[in-house]
Amino acid sequence: MSYEKVTRFQKNLVIGTKQTLKAIRNGAASEVFIADDADWEVTQKVEKLAEELEVPYRRVDSKKRLGSACGIDVDASAVAVKQ
């Protein structure tokens, strides 16, 4: 279900860890998706900030599949859906 949701919102996505963190801080993220197989040191920052600012987040199993769901040809560790 999570990958389908990302695909559905493809035009309203912020892709990448840095951009996702920025979107969360700016209040622009309505939901966040984090890949389980991405570097923990990177993704834990996204998870922690999402928890602090009460932005719902979901974990998905594959950064490759997350990138593909976003319509890009590279892996994606974190993705935010813009409000």
Side-chain angles (χ1 to χ4, degrees):
M1 173 62 182
S2 295
Y3 294 114
E4 292 86 16
K5 188 170 188 176
V6 170
T7 301
R8 212 174 42 224
F9 289 105
Q10 221 174 49
K11 295 183 180 186
N12 290 325
L13 296 177
V14 175
I15 303 169
T17 305
K18 290 179 185 177
Q19 294 300 318
T20 298
L21 287 167
K22 186 176 179 180
I24 295 169
R25 281 190 204 104
N26 293 337
S30 62
E31 187 172 6
V32 173
F33 295 88
I34 303 168
D36 280 336
D37 62 344
D39 183 5
W40 181 83
E41 288 185 26
V42 173
T43 60
Q44 63 94 18
K45 294 175 186 176
V46 175
E47 186 174 333
K48 183 178 176 185
L49 186 62
E51 286 176 355
E52 286 175 12
L53 298 180
E54 299 179 357
V55 175
Y57 68 90
R58 295 179 192 220
R59 299 205 62 101
V60 295
D61 62 343
S62 168
K63 61 186 178 183
K64 182 174 184 75
R65 287 183 62 197
L66 185 57
S68 180
C70 292
I72 60 175
D73 293 330
V74 294
D75 298 351
S77 297
V79 174
V81 177
K82 294 187 279 186
Q83 293 197 39

